[in-house]
Amino acid sequence: ETGVTQSPTHLIKTRGQQVTLRCSSQSGHNTVSWYQQALGQGPQFIFQYYREEENGRGNFPPRFSGLQFPNYSSELNVNALELDDSALYLCASSRGQRPGNEQFFGPGTRLTVL
Amino acid sequence: GESVGLHLPTLSVQEGDNSIINCAYSNSASDFFIWYKQESGKGPQFIIDIRSNMDKRQGQRVTVLLNKTVKHLSLQIAATQPGDSAVYFCAENREPGSNTGKLIFGQGTTLQVKP
């Protein structure tokens, strides 16, 4: 196990609702990256938080937002949920924001939008 | 969305044989590549990485080969074991010099190990 935890494990929402997913980073890590993994696909980068600031974003609309707290845990918020938002949401923590820093993934939160 | 390409979606091998999983990438500027293993119900797990100034890197039972001429990456697993059954992803950093650890993942290859 990586020491990265995510909650909840599973979540069911309806279209138009809002959701908050949580991630606790591994001890000593100050960076959290969020990825969306659709069924049968590879993870897609949503954004990264480094020392409580957004540090890079992928091709996701503004209704995907996040936070990082002083203890380096993080939240992913998605507003106005759409059916296509159904996916596994992964967070990964690392000891630094650069690509060369190994990213340790949590088990993910499975979001289903009905 | 953005993705790194893979040649085959599923690879079936006999236990004890060697496995080779391939990956093609399109951006010649990519400077860092990683292989991940994802078991059912788990997040991706780091296997091995390689920088673009290298052609080969070896780990425990795994070897990654990088051919920059044809933009091709492969993961070789020696003496494949049932515990190696999983989906394998290659990922790349397409933004050299970036301060963001944004990884672009391929779609994955499923490795099935037959006993």
Side-chain angles (χ1 to χ4, degrees), chain A residues 54-71:
Chain A
E54 186 178 295
N55 181 57
R57 190 178 183 94
N59 296 327
F60 282 82
R63 60 189 184 84
F64 285 78
S65 64
L67 283 173
Q68 187 178 34
F69 300 99
N71 66 353

Side-chain angles (χ1 to χ4, degrees), chain A residues 37 41-42 55 97-99 103, chain B residues 32 38 43 99-101 106-107:
Chain A
Q37 186 176 23
Q41 303 290 319
N55 181 57
Q97 79 280 24
R98 290 181 175 272
Q103 297 187 23
Chain B
F32 188 66
Q38 187 173 24
N99 279 327
T100 301
Q107 290 189 318

Side-chain angles (χ1 to χ4, degrees), chain A residues 59-102:
Chain A
N59 296 327
F60 282 82
R63 60 189 184 84
F64 285 78
S65 64
L67 283 173
Q68 187 178 34
F69 300 99
N71 66 353
Y72 302 126
S73 66
S74 178
E75 285 183 355
L76 164 65
N77 299 291
V78 187
N79 293 323
L81 283 166
E82 300 177 1
L83 298 180
D84 284 349
D85 295 333
S86 295
L88 181 68
Y89 288 84
L90 296 160
C91 78
S93 76
S94 54
R95 196 187 302 269
Q97 79 280 24
R98 290 181 175 272
N101 295 109
E102 183 178 340

Side-chain angles (χ1 to χ4, degrees), chain A residues 29-69:
Chain A
H29 289 184
N30 57 13
T31 304
V32 172
S33 302
W34 285 93
Y35 292 83
Q36 180 195 66
Q37 186 176 23
L39 199 61
Q41 303 290 319
Q44 290 209 335
F45 178 81
I46 303 175
F47 43 55
Q48 181 185 75
Y49 278 83
Y50 171 60
R51 292 185 176 178
E52 303 178 58
E53 299 276 339
E54 186 178 295
N55 181 57
R57 190 178 183 94
N59 296 327
F60 282 82
R63 60 189 184 84
F64 285 78
S65 64
L67 283 173
Q68 187 178 34
F69 300 99

Side-chain angles (χ1 to χ4, degrees), chain B residues 1-86:
Chain B
E2 299 179 88
S3 68
V4 177
L6 289 174
H7 292 304
L8 294 172
T10 303
L11 177 65
S12 186
V13 300
Q14 204 70 37
E15 182 180 355
D17 288 351
N18 296 334
S19 303
I20 300 176
I21 301 171
N22 296 304
C23 180
Y25 62 96
S26 58
N27 191 340
S28 58
S30 296
D31 67 345
F32 188 66
F33 303 87
I34 308 171
W35 281 100
Y36 284 94
K37 171 187 180 183
Q38 187 173 24
E39 297 174 280
S40 182
K42 297 185 178 181
Q45 176 188 358
F46 173 92
I47 301 173
I48 192 168
D49 59 22
I50 188 167
R51 297 193 179 275
S52 59
N53 60 356
M54 302 171 71
D55 298 322
K56 179 180 179 178
R57 192 168 186 212
Q58 288 185 289
Q60 188 176 12
R61 274 202 312 121
V62 296
T63 301
V64 56
L65 299 178
L66 177 61
N67 185 330
K68 294 179 285 294
T69 302
V70 295
K71 299 194 201 61
H72 182 269
L73 190 70
S74 69
L75 176 70
Q76 300 178 4
I77 304 173
T80 312
Q81 302 169 0
D84 295 326
S85 294

